[in-house]
Amino acid sequence: MSSPLISYTIQKRNGALTEFDASKIEYAIGKAAGTVGELDANLPKYLAEKVVRVLDENYFQPEKPLSVEEIQDIVEIVLMKSGQLKIAKEYILYREEHKKIRAKKQEEVQEKIKHKKFKVLDEDGKEQIFDPQEWEDKIAYLAKDLPRISPELILHEAVKLLYDGMKASELPMAILNATRTLIEKHYEYSYLAARLLWDQIKHSVLEDDNEQAEFAKYIERGIKYELLNPELKNFDLKKLSSAIDNQRDNLFQYLGARTIADRYLLKTPTYPQQIFELPQWMWMRVAMGLALQEDQREERAIEFYNVLSQFLFVSSTPTLFNSGTTHSQMSSCYLNMVEDSLTGIFKSYGDVAQLSKFAGGIGTDWTNVRSTGAMIKGTNGASQGVIPFLKIFNDVCLAVNQGGKRKGAMAAYLEIWHSDVEEFIDLRKNTGDERRRTHDIHNVLWIPDLFIKRVMENGDWTLFSPSDVPELHELYGAKFEAKYKEYEAHPPRSARKVKATELWRKALTMLYETGHPWVTFKDPCNIRSPQDHVGVVHNSNLCTEITLNDSPDETAVCNLGSLNFANMVKERVLDEKLIRSTVKTAMRMLDNVIDINFYPTVEAKNSNMRHRPVGLGLMGYHDALYQLDIDFASERQLDFADESMETISYYVLLASSELAAERGAYSSYKGSKWDRGLLPIDTLELLEMERGVPLSIPKTSKRDWQPVRDSIKKHGMRNSNCMAIAPTATISNIAGSIPCVEPIFKNIYMKENLSGNFVVINKYMIDDLVATGLWDDDTLARIKVNNGSLDEVDGIPAKLKEKYLEVFEIDSRYIIEAAARRQKWIDQACSTNIFLKTTSGKVLSETYLNVWKTGLKTTYYLRSLAASQVTKTTEIAETVKKTAPIKSPSAYKEIIPATLATSVNSAEMDDSGKKLCSILDPDCEACQ
């Protein structure tokens, strides 16, 4: 039979890896077909080839191993979708029969182990007796500070993965996989699994057990491989190695450890690639890279290392990937704009290809491109509009991924008065002409306040070709309104009227159905911008938290990292002293990126060196609420969001001003809002004045800001922009905290990323249930049956049910207003997902209108979950097996396994099974 187009790796049940062999599928289908008397000898081959086609067409991550169970799930659904229900039934019985055979073999292995007769093969192929006591002792040693760990239980689970003829080298993976299966029982198993992983990696990397002694050898190897910057060898490596604290490896949970091991630790350039970097070496490598131009390099590197390795602040993924390497592109996101000419359009393709190659997420403004039917002066012909060019933009995104490490990630922005906006809204629609669809880029609406006012008054809205109204894109606020109305009064030939409410309804309908277009607001981004004196904010970035000026000569760049509130609570109080010291170090690290960074284009370097923007963000917010015993759905939470962000903002602005005192203000500082004495909180009044509509949030302050104002007046600012809250999905996984500033997704669920499937469980919930004597296997089972929710689990106190509400159980008002309260203090924006458990278009519209009224600058994904979609896992599994279309294996993982409850997002999968977007998408730049 034909081979798959892509080479797949299969992970066997014991954790061993092997190559995908389609003949095994053909054999199994043939056995099932023979049982029901199927006489067509070619049918098994045909069906097996169909399975291969499903893999080739739908499996988007060939670098990640597939499990045996995943392959078998796909075979089942292919059989049912092909109408071979009898064969499918026999195949399911075949699986069950083999499950029983495996169980019997496990009993035999258990007996052999009991009588010390189970043997494994050493490196020379010689048999040796497996001694479970050695592993129990090792587990006990690694888990000496984890009292809930049972080595006996791990060994009991591991027996299921052992088999006759097994190699001794396979035992560590079997023990690790057994530990992983127990994470749902208690989160301590997650910490232990991470330690077992590090133990394996250290055995392969270290010549002896002294990490500090081998640190210098690691630097030498990295330089020899042409991966590390040769400048690193000029550090005092003995001094740095003595500062490395190996015990900080124990801070990792398994998801974070696995993510670091698979995607961040440096590997040899020769095939097969081998990890040669350890986690604490990675943190020090990043710290050294950021300290390259410091006068006291060793002291600063140690300072940076201590912040990173203790998960107090974590730099964004590009910085973790590339700091200290020969390719030091450390910026997270880029914003650029396309000129209205063939030369300009195709130059933009080349620019975004370069930006994407070096691991940047990109937001591109396409508003300048003339609309369909507009005249082309050079040929006296008619333009095809912006849509065909966006199709090419989509293909560039696919063709040029992020450094070979994750898919290209790009967003296209268009102002809502552009004549092609209706087709733009439909770009990710799942029906219609595929030549006018872009399923791989994110489309985003850039909306002026005037449009929202027209929606609220049920007025008309006029669409124009930008070639006929060139001033509109460069205006905002009251000036935009005046010019727009002038064009309406004397419309050019391209103008046409629509009802504002109908256009709004169309956008929100498509947003609900596909997750796009996202909704962002032009005027608050510009009116509150500190850099209003040097240009216009034409668009945001991929994740909608960056609001910087761009122009044909400047591609805006932002360097990101996030403060981790999960580790900022000490003795049930937010540790302000720790926040201040961490922020001061973090701002220095972010500012250093600007000078050390590699810039893929001249325009990017021009912008970053002139304005020096950075984006210090926040993650682990809900972790802090749990520790402080503050319910997310409460007024206390709203006040905490306000006050805690004010604290961060206070110390961030002070830190940037102190850096200016040491290093000088950024070059375009003169004339900025900072220079005019305006801080973010002061710009709320400006926004209200321009809109003529009051904001629906309190404008109160709790701190004395005079010391910050005095410092800025005296020294200026080192950075034009300082704060932006990004989604942080990946770096929060690394740190073991809840992403960004959102509520926890679910109390227990299965998360999938490029490294595999992981149980994610709310450790604070477990601690509280343990404290009340309610945590046991029965409680766990009932929580899983209820899809992670505590709402219908009997016996759990109401107070705990309120504390552990999941994101779709929390009124979206608390999420939106908390974001708006933070927005008061932020000079850029906050990537804000909207979570709605409704199918009501009216509620959807009211929600986004309320977002606008709070003064929020941008929104990100709409996460919608209709009440009918919340189903127990077993019910979902049965429904999917009977009715679901063929989907990617990643979709099966989210729905089919009966071990864990999950939820289905209406925006995640279309009718053909094509992946549209997902919570914590590992391929999105949101995963900092």
Side-chain angles (χ1 to χ4, degrees):
M1 64 175 294
S2 60
S3 300
L5 299 174
I6 302 169
S7 177
Y8 299 103
T9 303
I10 305 300
Q11 186 169 45
K12 297 161 70 174
R13 291 181 178 86
N14 64 0
L17 300 178
T18 186
E19 286 191 14
F20 173 73
D21 185 354
S23 66
K24 292 183 178 180
I25 294 175
E26 183 179 349
Y27 173 78
I29 294 174
K31 290 277 287 184
T35 304
V36 299
E38 174 57 58
L39 300 177
D40 186 350
N42 293 318
L43 184 61
K45 180 180 179 181
Y46 164 75
L47 292 170
E49 288 181 341
K50 202 166 184 179
V51 170
V52 169
R53 283 201 303 275
V54 169
L55 278 172
D56 286 337
E57 291 171 6
N58 295 282
Y59 194 58
F60 306 117
Q61 300 166 8
E63 70 278 12
K64 184 165 68 65
L66 280 161
S67 71
V68 172
E69 296 294 336
E70 284 177 306
I71 294 291
Q72 292 181 341
D73 287 340
I74 296 170
V75 172
E76 276 188 32
I77 294 184
V78 166
L79 290 173
M80 288 186 283
K81 283 294 176 182
S82 301
Q84 302 295 335
L85 300 182
K86 290 182 180 179
I87 298 178
K89 180 180 178 182
E90 287 302 321
Y91 182 78
I92 292 169
L93 293 174
Y94 166 86
R95 290 181 70 177
E96 287 300 313
E97 179 186 345
H98 278 259
K99 186 177 180 181
K100 292 175 183 177
I101 293 171
R102 288 195 302 273
K104 186 176 181 181
K105 286 183 177 179
Q106 288 164 11
E107 290 176 9
E108 293 171 357
V109 168
Q110 211 157 11
E111 280 298 306
K112 288 182 179 180
I113 292 173
K114 183 178 179 181
H115 295 95
K116 297 186 177 180
K117 292 183 178 180
F118 182 73
K119 299 175 182 179
V120 293
L121 303 177
D122 64 16
E123 291 181 3
D124 299 323
K126 295 178 181 179
E127 292 183 339
Q128 60 184 47
I129 299 294
F130 169 69
D131 184 2
Q133 189 60 50
E134 290 182 11
W135 276 103
E136 284 195 26
D137 292 345
K138 182 166 190 171
I139 291 167
Y141 172 76
L142 291 174
K144 55 183 178 290
D145 59 335
L146 303 174
R148 304 285 297 196
I149 297 296
S150 168
E152 297 82 5
L153 184 56
I154 293 172
L155 265 294
H156 177 75
E157 289 296 315
V159 167
K160 300 174 184 177
L161 305 174
L162 306 185
Y163 60 95
D164 285 319
M166 187 175 189
K167 295 178 182 178
S169 59
E170 294 176 333
L171 287 173
M173 183 57 72
I175 299 298
L176 173 56
N177 284 332
T179 304
R180 287 182 61 187
T181 66
L182 299 170
I183 290 174
E184 64 180 38
K185 289 185 176 295
H186 199 281
Y187 59 82
E188 285 188 0
Y189 286 97
S190 183
Y191 286 101
L192 177 61
R195 297 175 192 185
L196 288 165
L197 176 62
W198 295 142
D199 186 67
Q200 288 183 41
I201 291 174
K202 288 178 183 181
H203 275 299
S204 67
V205 171
L206 295 174
E207 294 178 6
D208 58 46
D209 290 332
N210 192 333
E211 287 186 45
Q212 282 85 353
E214 293 200 30
F215 178 70
K217 294 180 183 177
Y218 144 74
I219 296 293
E220 289 176 10
R221 288 183 72 189
I223 294 171
K224 180 182 176 182
Y225 292 142
E226 298 183 347
L227 293 175
L228 291 183
N229 187 336
E231 185 69 20
L232 297 189
K233 67 182 179 183
N234 296 328
F235 280 81
D236 184 340
L237 299 181
K238 186 175 181 180
K239 183 174 184 177
L240 295 186
S241 65
S242 65
I244 291 174
D245 185 349
N246 303 328
Q247 292 302 307
R248 291 177 187 170
D249 287 351
N250 294 339
L251 298 176
F252 284 96
Q253 295 182 55
Y254 183 67
L255 171 56
R258 186 79 262 176
T259 302
I260 285 281
D262 289 351
R263 298 175 59 195
Y264 292 79
L265 297 184
L266 294 179
K267 298 177 178 66
T268 59
T270 54
Y271 186 82
Q273 290 187 307
Q274 300 289 327
I275 292 172
F276 72 92
E277 183 176 59
L278 297 179
Q280 297 307 312
W281 294 354
M282 182 202 78
W283 293 128
M284 186 59 82
R285 182 254 300 166
V286 173
M288 293 165 71
L290 294 174
L292 276 171
Q293 296 186 14
E294 292 279 4
D295 292 333
Q296 298 176 307
R297 298 200 301 186
E298 286 77 17
E299 288 75 10
R300 289 299 183 188
I302 292 170
E303 176 188 342
F304 299 165
Y305 165 79
N306 285 331
V307 164
L308 291 167
S309 62
Q310 294 182 85
F311 303 152
L312 299 175
F313 168 86
V314 183
S315 300
S316 65
T317 281
T319 303
L320 301 185
F321 277 164
N322 299 324
S323 181
T325 72
T326 53
H327 301 287
S328 57
Q329 195 303 105
M330 296 183 278
S331 296
S332 301
C333 43
Y334 298 89
L335 289 70
N336 64 350
M337 61 187 301
V338 179
E339 294 184 84
D340 184 33
S341 69
L342 207 57
T343 301
I345 291 169
F346 276 82
K347 180 183 184 302
S348 74
Y349 296 145
D351 287 349
V352 298
Q354 289 296 327
L355 298 172
S356 182
K357 172 185 175 181
F358 292 99
I362 302 157
T364 300
D365 163 37
W366 286 85
T367 301
N368 277 332
V369 177
R370 68 192 63 200
S371 60
T372 305
M375 189 179 73
I376 304 172
K377 291 181 180 179
T379 64
N380 201 31
S383 169
Q384 294 188 70
V386 72
I387 304 302
F389 295 113
L390 287 171
K391 181 67 172 176
I392 300 174
F393 184 61
N394 184 86
D395 294 340
V396 172
C397 179
L398 282 175
V400 187
N401 64 20
Q402 297 185 47
K405 295 182 178 180
R406 51 184 180 178
K407 292 194 299 186
M410 302 178 189
Y413 283 74
L414 199 76
E415 286 214 47
I416 202 165
W417 50 260
H418 193 291
S419 289
D420 288 342
V421 70
E422 290 161 304
E423 278 202 89
F424 180 81
I425 288 169
D426 286 341
L427 279 176
R428 289 179 68 113
K429 194 173 182 179
N430 308 314
T431 58
D433 186 352
E434 277 297 306
R435 292 170 298 180
R436 302 183 78 80
R437 298 289 179 264
T438 59
H439 297 293
D440 303 286
I441 61 171
H442 305 279
N443 51 324
V444 193
L445 289 174
W446 194 238
I447 301 176
D449 286 348
L450 181 60
F451 176 76
I452 298 297
K453 293 175 183 177
R454 295 281 177 89
V455 170
M456 291 192 293
E457 65 190 29
N458 195 25
D460 291 331
W461 184 246
T462 308
L463 304 179
F464 301 100
S465 172
S467 55
D468 293 331
V469 290
E471 302 97 332
L472 289 186
H473 195 36
E474 298 299 319
L475 298 175
Y476 56 86
K479 290 181 179 179
F480 172 88
E481 289 197 19
K483 194 67 180 178
Y484 185 88
K485 291 176 180 177
E486 182 182 320
Y487 276 121
E488 282 189 312
H490 306 283
R493 189 182 65 175
S494 67
R496 61 187 177 91
K497 285 189 177 182
V498 296
K499 293 295 293 183
T501 50
E502 290 180 5
L503 185 58
W504 180 242
R505 187 181 300 114
K506 177 181 175 67
L508 294 184
T509 299
M510 198 54 56
L511 176 63
Y512 182 82
E513 291 178 0
T514 70
H516 293 82
W518 299 334
V519 174
T520 57
F521 301 108
K522 174 184 183 178
D523 288 337
C525 291
N526 277 283
I527 293 166
R528 300 192 63 201
S529 169
Q531 292 293 94
D532 57 345
H533 66 307
V534 291
V536 175
V537 181
H538 296 105
N539 55 297
S540 185
N541 66 318
L542 178 70
C543 303
T544 76
E545 81 278 8
I546 303 303
T547 54
L548 301 174
N549 311 58
D550 54 14
S551 70
D553 299 323
E554 291 188 354
T555 292
V557 185
C558 204
N559 316 298
L560 304 178
S562 293
L563 197 67
N564 185 14
F565 255 24
N567 293 342
M568 294 289 165
V569 177
K570 307 296 179 186
E571 298 179 358
R572 301 180 71 83
V573 175
L574 203 58
D575 189 335
E576 187 169 328
K577 184 178 179 181
L578 182 60
I579 291 173
R580 178 174 186 171
S581 64
T582 303
V583 162
K584 187 171 184 177
T585 299
M587 287 297 289
R588 191 177 195 94
M589 293 164 69
L590 290 170
D591 188 62
N592 285 357
V593 168
I594 296 167
D595 297 310
I596 301 166
N597 202 38
F598 167 79
Y599 295 97
T601 67
V602 172
E603 292 83 0
K605 186 173 185 178
N606 287 344
S607 177
N608 221 30
M609 299 305 292
R610 185 180 180 207
H611 310 302
R612 306 187 68 85
V614 299
L616 186 144
L618 177 61
M619 63 185 182
Y621 176 78
H622 204 170
D623 295 80
L625 293 180
Y626 285 139
Q627 294 174 65
L628 296 169
D629 207 22
I630 298 174
D631 295 346
F632 206 109
S634 69
E635 294 301 316
R636 280 186 68 201
Q637 186 269 138
L638 298 178
D639 290 337
F640 178 75
D642 201 332
E643 294 165 17
S644 61
M645 195 67 228
E646 182 178 5
T647 298
I648 294 171
S649 181
Y650 186 96
Y651 291 122
V652 165
L653 301 187
L654 187 61
S656 184
S657 182
E658 289 171 348
L659 277 173
E662 176 186 342
R663 298 173 168 179
Y666 67 93
S667 63
S668 63
Y669 171 77
K670 196 66 177 175
S672 67
K673 279 191 172 71
W674 310 114
D675 185 41
R676 283 144 45 202
L678 295 171
L679 304 187
I681 187 65
D682 303 321
T683 63
L684 290 175
E685 186 177 351
L686 297 179
L687 179 58
E688 285 187 329
M689 289 172 58
E690 289 275 343
R691 276 187 179 177
V693 178
L695 301 178
S696 61
I697 55 167
K699 293 180 280 298
T700 52
S701 172
K702 295 283 187 180
R703 308 187 72 92
D704 175 13
W705 281 83
Q706 198 56 47
V708 177
R709 295 180 187 277
D710 291 343
S711 181
I712 293 173
K713 185 176 182 180
K714 182 176 181 181
H715 305 297
M717 291 284 284
R718 180 64 175 168
N719 314 98
S720 66
N721 299 73
C722 299
M723 291 164 285
I725 299 181
T728 76
T730 302
I731 61 171
S732 57
N733 288 341
I734 291 169
S737 57
I738 298 167
C740 196
V741 290
E742 290 176 348
I744 196 167
F745 172 48
K746 299 193 76 61
N747 287 314
I748 179 170
Y749 68 104
M750 185 73 81
K751 174 182 171 54
E752 180 208 0
N753 70 13
L754 293 175
S755 296
N757 288 337
F758 301 87
V759 175
V760 178
I761 193 162
N762 189 334
K763 64 180 183 180
Y764 306 101
M765 175 192 73
I766 291 179
D767 285 343
D768 277 350
L769 291 175
V770 167
T772 54
L774 293 173
W775 184 249
D776 54 26
D777 287 346
D778 178 62
T779 301
L780 171 61
R782 286 185 290 143
I783 292 173
K784 284 161 62 176
V785 165
N786 283 283
N787 222 10
S789 171
L790 303 188
D791 186 46
E792 296 183 15
V793 180
D794 294 336
I796 293 180
K799 182 179 179 182
L800 291 186
K801 290 184 177 182
E802 282 296 313
K803 182 175 182 178
Y804 294 107
L805 292 176
E806 300 172 336
V807 68
F808 283 108
E809 297 175 319
I810 294 172
D811 189 325
S812 63
R813 178 180 75 86
Y814 292 104
I815 299 172
I816 293 167
E817 186 170 336
R821 297 273 197 109
R822 291 186 204 93
Q823 185 70 82
K824 289 166 53 177
W825 308 105
I826 299 173
D827 50 31
Q828 294 200 68
C830 174
S831 183
T832 305
N833 289 320
I834 307 297
F835 295 86
L836 288 178
K837 187 179 176 180
T838 180
T839 58
S840 168
K842 180 181 179 182
V843 171
L844 184 61
S845 177
E846 289 175 349
T847 298
Y848 276 90
L849 291 177
N850 286 334
V851 166
W852 178 80
K853 292 173 184 176
T854 66
L856 264 177
K857 296 179 180 180
T858 64
T859 63
Y860 194 30
Y861 280 104
L862 168 66
R863 308 297 192 186
S864 53
L865 183 68
S868 60
Q869 291 173 300
V870 182
T871 318
K872 293 181 178 66
T873 303
T874 52
E875 295 171 350
I876 293 174
E878 290 305 312
T879 302
V880 169
K881 286 187 178 182
K882 291 175 183 176
T883 64
I886 297 297
K887 297 182 179 180
S888 67
S890 60
Y892 300 136
K893 292 175 192 173
E894 292 174 2
I895 301 173
I896 290 178
T899 55
L900 283 172
T902 61
S903 69
V904 182
N905 186 327
S906 65
E908 286 183 0
M909 205 70 64
D910 70 15
D911 291 338
S912 66
K914 180 169 292 201
K915 194 171 184 181
L916 300 170
C917 64
S918 66
I919 299 275
L920 309 183
D921 181 354
D923 298 323
C924 179
E925 187 257 353
C927 307
Q928 279 189 55

